[in-house]
């Protein structure tokens, strides 16, 4: 076969089984060390060391240009925000824009045959009703005593019957509330019942206001009557919004917030923000945000994404990802991207609904902040506002996924907000109906080089073990493998021998 083949054959024949054991063992050790280092680096920095070095140092040498523009965020705000968050990880909140059971949720059931509300969600609402609409002194008034039992009743028809029974005794505000929520089949009917409830509620509120300091019992009555009045006025404003009288709804909500400024826990400002966005009154939206997007106040998807929408509105109509990659981001575009990243970090499920990558369903009556339930509730009412701003959804589409490259690993560690709760998926499954596929927090995939080195380490370790146990057999396999490996080279050398004169080839081999 020629001199080259003789050299290769002599080399293979001189290799001993000990050499193969040493070779495979050394390879296994080196690949294992690389795997351990790669895994440690990934756990600490969230990226592959080999990949980072190749992108940072090799690509520029090969002529590549990195067009990505990572944004720097003010972490001091995030630290302060994290320290001031006293909210429990999986605290469930009342949905500020929850629908009407009779006029909206039941209508969905009639059409589709599906139940949009889970038992867990309705049970939470029953607890809310007992907390806000009843007090210990209800037994003193027959109508209130009936309603106290009605709010505990699980059967809808029994609740409605009890409410009618209460109204026969006297003009009971909470009875009218129950009928407006559950018996009325249209928003118009619900509004009439809420207006009826408002008259009774205002009378009770005035009477209990005069007696509130006469003892603990009267204080409890006044607190209950305040909750009832606020609930009625809010629902009347929501009826006006649903019936197209948006300016009237804005006035009612503003008056309600002025009358009861301490009841911020009801999040009435979220109803106001949605109504102002419908009017496209962006200056007033910004004014409301300036008051409620405060570092000491709990955040919500409505706050974060509305702030992102306003900043995106300033640049989205002329935004082009190609142009931005060439010239870099302007200051206004950078602010918009940072606002989107902030919103996505707070609730990463929202963009899929705004971009219609995931189907919307009716929002539940309760939401889990930063969870899928909150994302559904936000997108259900605010998708139209994003569509109305030209280019806003395109800017969101181009930038939202970049958030996950910026957040330190593990993703739950957080950057601008307190760590992402790990229990959101379980709580959302309880809040959302069975036919909905719950969105889960996106996870960072393991880099290719970690998987590659893990496979390489396993393969070489197996080779080392087999070579140690069966040195003779593995020597045969190794020789066969090396012979196959050198076969193309042998073929090339044969061609070279046939083309070059034998005398010249002999001189070259001597050299």
């Amino acid at each position: 076969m020629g001199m080259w083949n003789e050299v290769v054959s002599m080399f293979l024949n001189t290799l001993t089984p000990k050499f193969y054991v040493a070779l495979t063992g050394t390879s296994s050790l080196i690949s294992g060390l690389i795997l351990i280092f790669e895994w440690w680096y990934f756990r600490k920095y969230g990226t592959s060391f080999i990949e980072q070095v190749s992108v940072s140092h090799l690509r520029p040498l090969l002529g590549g240009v990195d067009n990505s523009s990572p944004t720097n965020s003010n972490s001091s705000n995030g630290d302060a925000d994290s320290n001031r968050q006293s909210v429990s990880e999986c605290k469930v909140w009342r949905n500020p824009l929850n629908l009407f059971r009779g006029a909206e949720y039941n209508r969905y059931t009639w059409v589709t045959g599906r139940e949009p509300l889970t038992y867990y969600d309705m049970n939470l609402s029953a607890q809310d009703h007992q907390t806000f609409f009843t007090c210990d002194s209800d037994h003193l008034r027959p109508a209130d005593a009936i309603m106290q039992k009605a709010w505990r009743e699980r059967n809808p028809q029994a609740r409605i019957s009890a409410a009618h029974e209460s109204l026969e005794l006297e003009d009971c505000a909470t009875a009218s509330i129950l009928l407006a929520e559950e018996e009325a089949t249209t928003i118009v009917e619900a509004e009439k019942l809420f207006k009826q409830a408002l008259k009774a509620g205002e009378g009770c509120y005035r009477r209990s206001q005069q007696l509130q300091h006469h003892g603990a019992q009267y204080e409890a009555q006044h607190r209950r009557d305040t909750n009832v009045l606020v609930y009625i006025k809010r629902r009347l404003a929501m009826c006006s919004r649903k019936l197209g009288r948006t300016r009237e709804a804005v006035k009612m909500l503003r008056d309600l917030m002025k009358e009861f400024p301490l009841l911020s826990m009801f999040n009435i400002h979220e109803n106001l923000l949605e109504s102002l966005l419908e009017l496209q009154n962006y200056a007033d939206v910004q004014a409301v945000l300036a008051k409620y997007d405060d570092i000491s106040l709990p955040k919500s998807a409505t706050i974060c994404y509305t702030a992102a929408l306003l900043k995106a509105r300033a640049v989205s109509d002329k935004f082009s990802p190609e142009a931005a990659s060439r010239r870099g981001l302007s200051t206004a575009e950078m602010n918009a991207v940072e606002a989107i990243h902030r919103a996505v970090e707070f609730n990463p499920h929202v963009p899929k609904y705004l971009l219609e990558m995931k189907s919307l369903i009716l929002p539940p009556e309760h939401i889990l902040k930063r969870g899928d339930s909150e994302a559904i509730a936000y997108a259900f009412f605010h998708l139209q506002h994003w569509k109305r701003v030209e280019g806003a959804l395109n800017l969101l589409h181009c930038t939202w996924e970049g958030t996950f490259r910026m957040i330190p690993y593990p993703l739950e560690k957080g950057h601008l907000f307190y760590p992402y709760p790990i229990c959101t998926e379980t709580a959302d499954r309880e809040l959302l109906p069975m036919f909905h596929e719950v969105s889960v927090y996106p996870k960072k995939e393991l880099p290719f080089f970690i998987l590659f080195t893990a496979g390489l380490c396993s393969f070489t370790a197996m080779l080392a073990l087999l070579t140690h146990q069966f040195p003779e057999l593995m020597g045969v396999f190794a020789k066969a493998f090396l012979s196959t490996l050198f076969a193309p080279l042998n073929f090339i050398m044969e061609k070279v021998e046939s083309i070059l004169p034998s005398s010249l080839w002999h001189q070259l081999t001597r050299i």
Side-chain angles (χ1 to χ4, degrees):
M1 186 181 281
M3 188 174 295
W4 173 258
N5 289 344
E6 291 176 7
V7 171
V8 171
S9 300
M10 185 176 65
F11 170 73
L12 294 176
N13 290 330
T14 55
L15 297 180
T16 63
K18 289 184 179 180
F19 170 79
Y20 294 121
V21 173
L23 178 64
T24 52
T26 305
S27 302
S28 176
L29 177 63
I30 293 173
S31 57
L33 291 174
I34 294 173
L35 173 62
I36 292 170
F37 177 75
E38 272 282 287
W39 179 254
W40 169 81
Y41 196 88
F42 176 70
R43 292 290 296 178
K44 187 171 183 180
Y45 299 106
T47 186
S48 163
F49 175 77
I50 299 173
E51 185 177 354
Q52 189 178 37
V53 168
S54 61
V55 169
S56 303
H57 299 90
L58 298 182
R59 188 159 70 166
L61 295 175
L62 297 174
V65 178
D66 188 5
N67 290 325
S68 62
S69 301
T71 57
N72 295 322
S73 302
N74 189 348
S75 60
S76 61
N77 287 350
D79 292 338
D81 189 65
S82 174
N83 293 333
R84 298 187 187 194
Q85 293 296 337
S86 59
V87 182
S88 175
E89 275 193 345
C90 280
K91 179 178 179 179
V92 175
W93 299 69
R94 182 84 180 173
N95 182 4
L97 290 97
N98 68 299
L99 305 177
F100 292 85
R101 283 194 190 177
E104 293 172 308
Y105 287 120
N106 286 349
R107 190 175 297 278
Y108 178 84
T109 305
W110 298 336
V111 174
T112 65
R114 292 173 166 179
E115 291 290 342
L117 297 176
T118 64
Y119 173 77
Y120 176 70
D121 191 18
M122 291 189 288
N123 187 50
L124 290 174
S125 295
Q127 294 175 23
D128 290 341
H129 296 152
Q130 292 172 50
T131 301
F132 294 126
F133 299 153
T134 65
C135 66
D136 294 336
S137 62
D138 281 345
H139 64 278
L140 300 176
R141 290 191 295 186
D144 286 336
I146 294 172
M147 287 309 300
Q148 193 172 46
K149 294 179 181 177
W151 293 120
R152 294 193 180 100
E153 180 61 57
R154 292 184 178 182
N155 185 283
Q157 288 305 317
R159 286 199 300 271
I160 291 171
S161 298
H164 281 293
E165 183 183 347
S166 178
L167 283 174
E168 289 174 2
L169 296 176
E170 63 176 297
D171 196 6
C172 179
T174 55
S176 297
I177 288 175
L178 193 148
L179 295 178
E181 290 287 349
E182 301 193 28
E183 187 181 46
T185 56
T186 65
I187 302 298
V188 174
E189 291 177 21
E191 187 179 40
K192 289 179 181 177
L193 286 164
F194 274 121
K195 287 180 178 178
Q196 179 181 323
L198 181 62
K199 293 179 182 178
E202 285 179 330
C204 290
Y205 176 75
R206 283 194 296 269
R207 288 193 295 271
S208 64
Q209 190 176 33
Q210 296 171 356
L211 301 171
Q212 63 176 310
H213 300 300
H214 291 192
Q217 174 182 318
Y218 293 105
E219 280 188 22
Q221 282 184 357
H222 179 65
R223 188 163 52 249
R224 188 272 307 272
D225 292 338
T226 302
N227 292 335
V228 169
L229 186 61
V230 171
Y231 186 91
I232 294 169
K233 289 188 173 185
R234 179 190 202 150
R235 287 309 240 179
L236 277 171
M238 293 174 73
C239 287
S240 296
R241 167 70 183 89
K242 291 173 186 289
L243 294 172
R245 305 194 304 270
T246 310
R247 294 187 184 280
E248 180 184 327
V250 167
K251 184 180 185 306
M252 294 170 72
L253 291 167
R254 287 191 186 280
D255 291 343
L256 182 58
M257 292 168 70
K258 288 178 183 176
E259 189 177 358
F260 302 98
L262 299 179
L263 295 180
S264 59
M265 63 178 179
F266 290 128
N267 295 322
I268 301 171
H269 58 275
E270 297 200 7
N271 300 86
L272 179 60
L273 284 171
E274 197 281 324
S275 296
L276 290 171
L277 285 169
E278 177 63 21
L279 294 174
Q280 301 182 53
N281 193 342
Y282 297 110
D284 283 355
V285 171
Q286 183 61 59
V288 174
L289 280 179
K291 182 177 180 181
Y292 289 95
D293 194 5
D294 185 81
I295 195 170
S296 62
L297 296 176
K299 300 295 180 289
S300 67
T302 301
I303 292 290
C304 294
Y305 278 90
T306 302
L309 177 61
L310 291 190
K311 288 188 176 164
R313 179 175 168 267
V315 298
S316 60
D317 57 335
K318 298 176 182 177
F319 178 79
S320 166
E322 294 80 13
S325 64
R326 286 196 305 269
R327 59 171 168 77
L329 294 174
S330 65
T331 303
E333 288 173 337
M334 189 79 75
N335 291 337
V337 171
E338 285 181 355
I340 289 173
H341 285 178
R342 172 178 181 259
V344 173
E345 184 183 335
F346 182 83
N347 192 317
H349 312 290
V350 172
K352 289 184 179 179
Y353 295 106
L354 292 181
L355 298 172
E356 299 181 77
M357 299 162 62
K358 207 170 187 317
S359 298
L360 268 175
I361 60 171
L362 294 186
E365 292 185 338
H366 288 80
I367 58 174
L368 181 69
K369 285 196 175 184
R370 309 185 75 180
D372 190 30
S373 50
E374 184 192 33
I376 291 169
Y378 171 78
F380 187 86
F381 294 100
H382 288 262
L383 175 58
Q384 58 182 329
H385 306 317
W386 279 81
K387 286 185 173 180
R388 193 176 290 127
V389 176
E390 183 184 354
L393 288 175
N394 176 52
L395 179 60
L396 178 68
H397 173 73
C398 294
T399 57
W400 78 275
E401 290 180 321
T403 300
F404 303 109
R405 291 192 293 271
M406 297 173 57
I407 300 176
Y409 187 86
L411 292 181
E412 292 82 0
K413 188 175 180 180
H415 183 59
L416 295 168
F417 296 99
Y418 55 94
Y420 188 86
I422 59 174
C423 59
T424 53
E425 183 180 352
T426 304
D428 279 329
R429 290 191 189 283
E430 294 287 337
L431 287 171
L432 298 169
M434 290 295 295
F435 58 82
H436 173 73
E437 183 183 352
V438 174
S439 176
V440 295
Y441 196 88
K443 297 292 183 184
K444 267 188 181 177
E445 299 293 335
L446 284 175
F448 166 76
F449 287 105
I450 285 186
L451 300 175
F452 176 77
T453 51
L456 182 64
C457 178
S458 302
F459 178 71
T460 52
M462 183 184 68
L463 279 182
L465 179 63
L466 290 173
T467 307
H468 183 266
Q469 294 293 324
F470 312 101
E472 299 293 340
L473 182 61
M474 290 302 293
V476 173
F477 279 118
K479 289 176 182 177
F481 174 75
L482 291 174
S483 299
T484 307
L485 192 66
F486 284 123
L489 193 57
N490 288 336
F491 177 76
I492 294 172
M493 297 305 295
E494 286 179 2
K495 291 296 182 183
V496 171
E497 283 183 7
S498 62
I499 294 173
L500 291 177
S502 57
S503 59
L504 178 60
W505 177 247
H506 181 70
Q507 294 295 326
L508 288 174
T509 53
R510 288 184 65 184
I511 294 172

